[in-house]
């Protein structure tokens, strides 16, 4: 008799953003006359850069001709894209990598969920709290989480590292020793970023404890301060303890076209085994490669025109972030983020719970955000707004919120 994976039954409710979407859909059905502005889900709204669109057209034309048609992509990605990644994302910042340390995929979300498969089932994970839900949920599915405590909102086998206003949303080294440490900086959802010296502490700690850091750098394009590293490999010793995840979604607008990559350095050994070899084996077994036309589009991001257009796109969203940050500050809200990140993190007013504030904002301002409690227990009492809307909608949404008093 077939049986289900009981770990899936441990998952709490639905995925956070599915819940948000359902609540918004129900509200709009009941109030079809209301103009709802969505600043909740971190989905981009600007069209793809022109250089990317041109590359897509060229690649599609190639696929229509026998001589240039491409079938399955190489498991780990085409060399033209991996070479561009090495040259522009790392060598330009003083980091030396080889192309066989770059693994092209269809999304950082997929990679952040799948990377746990190469580690032992009894590995102990540590996560920032609040946290991007995929890190925890994927480990719940793998059976690493233990039991869920509804009173605390925590899993018994997960090490939580609180990130709150009291510690400037920067995690402290955990009291328990983890095997795998998930770090996302610039952070989703809080918008916090680490200085190089702060990140170096984590690298040194991981090397000392023989732990592996899964470093999610999906928002590195939004870094504005010079002291904030764009890659964990800018820190000494990071190649022996860290995997880095990168995405084309938020910097170049690929949320609908799907492209990302993971870096696994050759120096990274676990139990005497090169982790990159395991990730390559997993990749080759379960993934047929990102499409050729999408990888050509990714290559265009690194061209002269592509770089210029991506910078303009990032600048557009960061102008939105400034509108949110400055507007809410002026209205008396306690806010952070929005400087090295497209996310603004605010404290809910008048002691409201995060979901209570979600409902209040939706009903009274017709603005959608994301409740902090959905990111973990330390997110209760906080709320996330995204800068990925249009400028006009962002200005209107901030005005509506401020008029609530």
């Amino acid at each position: 008799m077939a049986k289900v994976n009981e770990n899936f039954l441990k998952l709490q409710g639905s995925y956070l953003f599915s819940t948000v979407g359902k609540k918004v859909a129900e509200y709009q059905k009941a109030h079809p006359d209301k103009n709802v502005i969505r600043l909740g889900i971190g989905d981009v709204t600007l069209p793809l850069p022109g250089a990317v669109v041109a590359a897509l057209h060229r690649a599609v034309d190639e696929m229509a001709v026998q001589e240039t048609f491409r079938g399955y992509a190489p498991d780990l990605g085409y060399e033209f894209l991996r070479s561009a990644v090495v040259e522009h994302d790392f060598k330009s910042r003083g980091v030396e990598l080889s192309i066989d340390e770059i693994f092209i995929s269809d999304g950082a979300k997929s990679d952040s969920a799948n990377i746990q498969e190469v580690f032992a089932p009894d590995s102990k994970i540590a996560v920032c709290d609040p946290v991007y839900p995929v890190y925890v949920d994927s480990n719940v599915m793998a059976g690493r989480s233990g039991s869920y405590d509804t009173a605390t909102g925590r899993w018994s086998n997960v090490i939580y590292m609180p990130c709150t206003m009291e510690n400037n949303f920067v995690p402290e080294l955990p009291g328990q020793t983890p095997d795998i440490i998930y770090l996302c900086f610039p952070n989703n959802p809080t918008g916090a970023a680490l200085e190089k010296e702060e990140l170096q502490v984590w690298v040194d700690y991981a090397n000392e404890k023989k732990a592996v850091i899964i470093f999610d750098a999906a928002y590195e394009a939004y870094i504005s301060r010079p002291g904030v590293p764009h890659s964990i490999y800018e820190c000494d010793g990071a190649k022996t303890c860290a995997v880095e995840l990168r995405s084309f979604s938020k910097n170049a607008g690929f949320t609908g076209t799907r492209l990302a990559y993971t870096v696994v350095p050759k120096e990274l050994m676990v139990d005497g085994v090169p982790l990159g070899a395991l990730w390559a084996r997993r990749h080759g077994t379960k993934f047929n490669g990102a499409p050729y036309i999408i990888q050509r589009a990714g290559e265009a991001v690194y061209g002269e025109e592509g770089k210029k257009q991506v910078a303009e796109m990032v600048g557009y969203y960061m102008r939105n972030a400034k509108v949110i940050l400055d507007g809410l500050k002026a209205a008396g809200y306690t806010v952070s983020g929005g400087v090295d990140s497209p996310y603004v993190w605010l404290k809910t007013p008048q002691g409201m719970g995060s979901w209570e504030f979600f409902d209040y904002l939706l009903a009274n301002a017709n603005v959608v955000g994301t409740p902090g409690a959905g990111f973990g227990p330390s997110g209760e009492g906080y709320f996330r707004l995204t800068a990925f809307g249009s400028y006009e909608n962002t200005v209107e949404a901030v005005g509506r919120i401020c008029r609530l008093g």
Side-chain angles (χ1 to χ4, degrees):
M1 181 178 72
K3 295 183 179 180
V4 299
N5 180 345
E6 293 186 359
N7 293 314
F8 278 66
L9 303 180
K10 296 179 182 179
L11 291 167
Q12 299 301 301
S14 63
Y15 183 57
L16 168 62
F17 299 109
S18 299
T19 303
V20 169
K22 182 180 178 181
K23 288 174 78 74
V24 174
E26 289 173 350
Y27 178 83
Q28 288 193 301
K29 184 177 180 180
H31 304 87
D33 58 318
K34 300 296 184 182
N35 175 27
V36 175
I37 298 177
R38 299 170 184 258
L39 299 182
I41 297 175
D43 194 3
V44 297
T45 52
L46 292 177
L48 290 168
V52 169
V53 173
L56 283 168
H57 281 298
R58 289 194 298 270
V60 168
D61 287 341
E62 287 182 53
M63 297 295 275
V65 179
Q66 181 74 43
E67 290 73 22
T68 52
F69 171 79
R70 308 291 182 106
Y72 289 123
D75 288 348
L76 308 185
Y78 283 101
E79 184 173 331
F80 61 76
L81 179 56
R82 296 158 80 197
S83 295
V85 164
V86 166
E87 183 69 25
H88 297 280
D89 285 345
F90 296 100
K91 190 173 182 180
S92 64
R93 298 192 181 280
V95 176
E96 293 294 331
L97 291 171
S98 60
I99 67 167
D100 52 357
E101 295 171 301
I102 309 298
F103 300 79
I104 305 299
S105 74
D106 62 352
K109 179 179 181 180
S110 305
D111 287 350
S112 67
N114 294 329
I115 191 68
Q116 52 78 26
E117 292 184 18
V118 302
F119 296 98
D122 61 350
S123 297
K124 192 88 169 181
I125 72 164
V127 298
C128 293
D129 175 28
V131 65
Y132 183 47
V134 173
Y135 308 157
V136 175
D137 285 356
S138 58
N139 279 282
V140 172
M141 293 174 180
R144 289 194 188 90
S145 60
S147 57
Y148 185 74
D149 186 333
T150 54
T152 64
R154 298 186 175 202
W155 295 91
S156 60
N157 288 347
V158 175
I159 300 170
Y160 290 86
M161 303 179 293
C163 298
T164 62
M165 195 182 307
E166 288 67 35
N167 60 10
N168 294 317
F169 306 104
V170 173
E172 299 171 2
L173 296 176
Q176 295 177 266
T177 301
D179 301 303
I180 307 167
I181 304 166
Y182 287 84
L183 296 178
C184 173
F185 289 99
N187 186 258
N188 176 18
T190 69
L194 294 184
E195 299 279 347
K196 184 177 180 181
E197 294 76 14
E198 294 174 304
L199 187 55
Q200 185 68 58
V201 169
W202 284 96
V203 170
D204 294 342
Y205 173 81
N207 278 319
E208 176 193 344
K209 301 296 184 182
K210 293 183 169 42
V212 174
I213 296 172
I214 309 300
F215 189 73
D216 188 340
Y219 300 95
E220 64 81 26
Y222 293 87
I223 293 171
S224 63
R225 292 181 295 146
V228 177
H230 289 250
S231 168
I232 195 169
Y233 303 120
E234 294 176 49
C235 294
D236 295 336
K239 290 184 181 180
T240 57
C241 70
V243 170
E244 184 164 300
L245 312 178
R246 291 285 192 101
S247 173
F248 288 78
S249 288
K250 306 302 168 63
N251 63 334
F254 278 48
T255 55
T257 42
R258 313 305 303 145
L259 188 66
Y261 65 87
T262 290
V263 183
V264 187
K266 293 176 183 177
E267 293 96 318
L268 182 50
M269 308 285 288
V270 177
D271 285 340
V273 177
L275 201 66
L278 300 184
W279 184 238
R281 183 69 172 88
R282 189 262 167 213
H283 222 53
T285 300
K286 294 191 173 185
F287 184 58
N288 264 337
Y292 171 72
I293 61 173
I294 304 301
Q295 293 196 50
R296 280 297 186 193
E299 179 190 32
V301 168
Y302 299 105
E304 185 177 345
E305 281 302 306
K307 285 183 177 180
K308 178 183 175 182
Q309 291 162 5
V310 165
E312 290 172 353
M313 178 179 287
V314 169
Y316 179 94
Y317 292 133
M318 288 311 290
R319 180 173 68 150
N320 289 351
K322 184 170 173 34
V323 167
I324 299 170
L325 194 66
D326 292 349
L328 295 186
K329 273 185 182 178
Y333 285 86
T334 301
V335 292
S336 59
V339 175
D340 296 303
S341 163
Y343 296 121
V344 174
W345 189 243
L346 63 109
K347 194 164 180 60
T348 55
Q350 302 170 349
M352 284 189 188
S354 346
W355 281 105
E356 182 185 2
F357 186 63
F358 174 91
D359 292 333
Y360 173 77
L361 210 59
L362 179 58
N364 294 281
N366 304 143
V367 173
V368 179
T370 309
F375 296 101
S378 292
E380 180 55 85
Y382 294 94
F383 201 75
R384 191 192 78 175
L385 292 173
T386 170
F388 288 123
S390 70
Y391 177 74
E392 294 74 18
N393 279 350
T394 301
V395 171
E396 173 63 22
V398 171
R400 291 182 191 178
I401 297 171
C402 293
R403 286 192 292 271
L404 292 175

